[in-house]
Amino acid sequence: MPVEVDVKDTSPEMAKFLSEALSGDYGERNEKLATGSSVSPAPAQGAVDPTVRLPRRIDGGFAGLGHDLDKHGRECRHAVRLMEQLRPPLEAAEAERIRLQQSLTRILPEIDENGRTLSGMIENARKGDVNGDLAAKFSKSAAKLDELESLAEALNANLMAVRSAWEQYARAAIQAQRLRDTYKSHRAGAVSDRTSVEANG
């Protein structure tokens, strides 16, 4: 409960009373702070958060820092665009390879069957049985072998295409990986510097 005091009273008794009242008030406030009461201490003037301290040295100054960040950003964007450009040709070449492999899987049994049938007809002809149409079977076997030859050429050309596309994409991926490693290295260095500053602070 507040105590009403006559401010005009300047007697020694009044001075002693005010001194004791003030001392008691500050004593209660300090006790509340020590026991964790709801009274919050005022923040210290000029206090600096160690997590936002600048490093001891910035190469090239702020301008150099901005230039390096802009350069790194351009390199990353270029790497992303390059991989996006190289991915469709690689996927198309791989899809063509799958199609050609399926055609090869289809034609090989046909060639094998035609070959065995032709061999049987030739053997029968040797024994005097010439009822089979050898000319038609020869033509059919030749057509299948021509198809196999064309397919082999297409497979060979496709192999070169897949290899070229894959090598280009792999080089782009390696470049992107190096950029990512550089970013991780710089980030780890920044965290280490911040930790060191906090420890020394």
Side-chain angles (χ1 to χ4, degrees), residues 13-51:
E13 292 78 5
M14 180 56 65
K16 181 180 179 180
F17 173 77
L18 290 175
S19 177
E20 291 177 352
L22 291 174
S23 298
D25 179 64
Y26 281 110
E28 292 178 0
R29 180 178 179 86
N30 291 334
E31 183 179 355
K32 290 181 179 179
L33 291 176
T35 57
S37 66
S38 60
V39 179
S40 301
Q45 296 294 329
V48 179
D49 186 352
T51 61

Side-chain angles (χ1 to χ4, degrees), residues 29-195:
R29 180 178 179 86
N30 291 334
E31 183 179 355
K32 290 181 179 179
L33 291 176
T35 57
S37 66
S38 60
V39 179
S40 301
Q45 296 294 329
V48 179
D49 186 352
T51 61
V52 296
R53 289 180 180 176
L54 292 174
R56 299 182 183 277
R57 176 177 176 76
I58 299 178
D59 295 335
F62 287 174
L65 179 63
H67 173 74
D68 290 343
L69 290 174
D70 183 63
K71 179 182 178 182
H72 183 73
R74 289 197 306 270
E75 290 175 346
C76 290
R77 290 191 296 272
H78 173 72
V80 171
R81 285 196 297 267
L82 182 59
M83 293 185 69
E84 289 178 348
Q85 292 173 2
L86 294 175
R87 187 179 296 113
L90 175 60
E91 292 176 347
E94 289 180 337
E96 177 66 8
R97 179 179 61 83
I98 293 173
R99 187 189 68 79
L100 292 173
Q101 289 287 349
Q102 291 173 346
S103 297
L104 181 62
T105 302
R106 173 187 56 79
I107 195 175
L108 285 177
E110 294 178 359
I111 292 175
D112 181 64
E113 176 64 23
N114 283 330
R116 286 189 287 105
T117 302
L118 181 60
S119 296
M121 293 177 66
I122 292 174
E123 184 64 25
N124 291 335
R126 285 197 183 107
K127 296 177 181 180
D129 184 2
V130 292
N131 291 326
D133 191 352
L134 280 173
K137 182 58 66 175
F138 274 119
S139 297
K140 186 174 183 180
S141 295
K144 289 296 179 181
L145 290 174
D146 287 341
E147 185 178 351
L148 178 62
E149 183 178 2
S150 298
L151 185 58
E153 292 177 356
L155 281 167
N156 187 55
N158 174 257
L159 178 64
M160 297 298 102
V162 171
R163 179 177 181 177
S164 176
W166 177 252
E167 288 177 348
Q168 293 181 51
Y169 189 81
R171 283 194 293 267
I174 291 172
Q175 180 183 1
Q177 179 65 36
R178 288 174 179 171
L179 288 172
R180 185 168 67 174
D181 289 343
T182 301
Y183 170 74
K184 288 183 177 180
S185 176
H186 289 171
R187 185 178 181 183
V191 172
S192 177
D193 290 343
R194 187 176 68 182
T195 303

